[in-house]
Amino acid sequence: MIEPNPSLASLIDSASAAVAELSGRAARWRAAAPGRVNLIGEHTDYNHGWVLPMAIDRYTAMAAAPGVPGQIRVRSLAMAEESSLSLDQLHTPHGDAWMRYVQGVVAQYDRRGVHCPGLDAAVVSSVPPGGGLSSSAALELATAHLLEAVTEQALTPAERIQASVQAEREMAGVPCGIMDQTVVELAESGQVLLLDCADQTAHSVPLGSQAPALLVIDTGVSHSLAEGAYAQRRAECEQASALLGVKTLRDVRPEQLARLKGEMAAHRRATHVVSENERVRDAVTAIEQGHWDRLGALMTGSHRSLRDDYEVSCGELDLLVDLATAETGVYGARMTGGGFGGCVIVLVETDQLEAAADRISGQYDDRMGWAPGCYRVQSGAGAREICAAL
Ligand code: GLA
């Protein structure tokens, strides 16, 4: 069954109510940021390649009121926890993993001369946590916009993205690329974002009214990217570039890959990155021409490449992709995000969406013993301050 999607207005209301309860004062500032799916272009961002993500209509919403000087208290309805941070400990990683994303952004703004006063805040989210839908980037950018509302000091979008990327790298210990924070900040509703990660230029590509539906299915397993596999892939890509004498794998042509034959890991990783970059550009053409069969085939091809060459998939993701691609009305499916668990995205005819979701989750349940979360996602707008009642 496809899970209901609470409106952004109801998330903002819940965050406002929670902060009023926490601090005894009415919420004064509000902000929200979306999660994202990546349509195609996985593990290419830190190789200076191309990615094609979109923000989704699921959000992390925050509300805040003035708090005790020198302290930030945050109640997370998503984690059912409350955490507090002393501002004189701003640069020491907090004990609560989720709080580090808030802390990291506040610390980055602090370094840029934007100082957070004492604050009580609440966070509510409809982005499934740890599901590869960038719940962390959503929390970072919601914090950034909230902080700007509180301090009445604004960074540029590029600075905001940079601050969030650095927060993630330093506080969460993941040497991530720029894709998640960039799309969460810059996304426009109804569009996917073609991002060139070499010069960080972004172009919106309209999906059009005839585009099929996008179904997200959550495997229910999450293997933390901080455990080292992500960093290891990055290192293997750097090794491949060094062996080929190029700065990044973006600069490699398919015919050069044969030179890596003796280096198995480097050869496989580079094969994925080079082929994935081609798939991204082909996917843009497929979207512009409304060739959904072609887009679906590219997505499924991307999954195979991530499974076989990049080796970041897992049994649960592969099972969902196999189940999905066997369904009527499905154009293609792939894992989305860093991998090792999380979600798959399925491109499916809109009138087949419900039936396909039911059958896929039923079969997954039979095999795994639990029903996966199913979400219909639509292209949403980027992070922002919420000024008035929605
Ligand atoms: C994670 C990272 C991104 C990107 C993807 C893989 O989501 O945060 O920067 O590298 O993995 O495409």
Side-chain angles (χ1 to χ4, degrees):
M1 216 191 57
I2 295 186
E3 310 222 351
N5 188 6
S7 68
L8 177 55
S10 71
L11 296 175
I12 290 285
D13 285 349
S14 312
S16 302
V19 88
E21 198 186 289
L22 176 69
S23 75
R25 293 177 180 174
R28 193 185 295 175
W29 305 282
R30 295 165 188 84
R36 67 97 187 89
V37 292
N38 187 15
L39 219 48
I40 199 160
E42 216 68 83
H43 288 278
T44 44
D45 61 349
Y46 52 83
N47 287 302
H48 286 195
W50 290 265
V51 293
L52 196 63
M54 69 179 211
I56 58 176
D57 52 350
R58 287 189 162 261
Y59 302 89
T60 292
M62 293 182 85
V68 178
Q71 204 187 37
I72 301 179
R73 282 196 301 173
V74 186
R75 179 173 288 181
S76 164
L77 270 66
M79 307 304 287
E81 272 177 24
E82 204 174 291
S83 194
S84 62
L85 165 73
S86 169
L87 285 167
D88 56 18
Q89 296 291 310
L90 197 49
H91 301 281
T92 312
H94 196 277
D96 295 331
W98 63 271
M99 184 63 165
R100 276 187 220 154
Y101 298 108
V102 174
Q103 177 191 20
V105 172
V106 174
Q108 289 298 326
Y109 271 69
D110 194 70
R111 284 195 192 137
R112 290 163 174 79
V114 180
H115 307 296
C116 185
L119 206 61
D120 283 338
V123 49
V124 179
S125 186
S126 58
V127 185
L133 302 182
S134 279
S135 51
S136 55
L139 181 53
E140 288 152 10
L141 268 313
T143 302
H145 282 271
L146 187 76
L147 192 54
E148 293 188 17
V150 170
T151 58
E152 295 181 357
Q153 281 178 276
L155 300 188
T156 64
E159 289 167 337
R160 216 173 276 140
I161 292 165
Q162 180 68 12
S164 301
V165 170
Q166 278 176 320
E168 176 115 11
R169 288 183 184 156
E170 287 175 23
M171 288 292 178
V174 181
C176 64
I178 59 162
M179 169 172 72
D180 302 343
Q181 290 78 6
T182 306
V183 67
V184 167
E185 171 66 15
L186 299 182
E188 291 176 74
S189 184
Q191 325 265 327
V192 288
L193 200 73
L194 174 64
L195 180 63
D196 181 337
C197 300
D199 60 9
Q200 304 187 15
T201 48
H203 296 281
S204 290
V205 181
L207 278 170
S209 57
Q210 302 304 310
L214 260 185
L215 171 67
V216 169
I217 312 179
D218 191 343
T219 58
V221 297
S222 65
H223 309 286
S224 168
L225 296 185
E227 276 165 18
Y230 185 95
Q232 189 194 349
R233 294 299 179 283
R234 273 197 84 141
E236 288 163 348
C237 289
E238 279 156 25
Q239 187 206 359
S241 307
L243 288 166
L244 290 170
V246 292
K247 235 170 99 196
T248 69
L249 290 180
R250 175 199 180 91
D251 306 319
V252 176
R253 292 183 309 279
E255 58 273 21
Q256 289 173 277
L257 291 167
R259 285 170 47 202
L260 291 171
K261 273 273 179 315
E263 301 284 339
M264 199 161 72
H267 182 252
R268 284 193 183 157
R269 309 305 179 237
T271 301
H272 165 72
V273 173
V274 171
S275 63
E276 186 79 348
N277 277 331
E278 263 179 38
R279 280 187 289 270
V280 175
R281 280 165 296 172
D282 289 351
V284 172
T285 309
I287 292 171
E288 285 168 348
Q289 298 178 346
H291 288 168
W292 310 117
D293 277 326
R294 176 78 187 129
L295 178 62
L298 290 163
M299 288 167 63
T300 308
S302 165
H303 184 79
R304 290 202 190 101
S305 178
L306 288 157
R307 182 191 65 193
D308 301 337
D309 286 329
Y310 218 66
E311 298 178 280
V312 289
S313 187
C314 63
E316 295 89 346
L317 287 167
D318 295 341
L319 174 61
L320 281 177
V321 168
D322 288 346
L323 293 173
T325 48
E327 280 297 324
T328 319
V330 167
Y331 292 103
R334 61 183 291 276
M335 55 160 270
T336 192
F340 311 106
C343 293
V344 300
I345 48 170
V346 182
L347 188 69
V348 54
E349 278 294 1
T350 306
D351 60 4
Q352 299 287 330
L353 174 74
E354 296 272 352
D358 285 349
R359 279 194 298 264
I360 298 165
S361 64
Q363 293 175 70
Y364 188 82
D365 192 356
D366 289 345
R367 300 273 284 272
M368 305 301 298
W370 73 89
C374 292
Y375 312 92
R376 181 187 184 173
V377 296
Q378 289 180 286
S379 161
R384 58 203 181 272
E385 180 188 355
I386 308 286
C387 296
L390 288 171

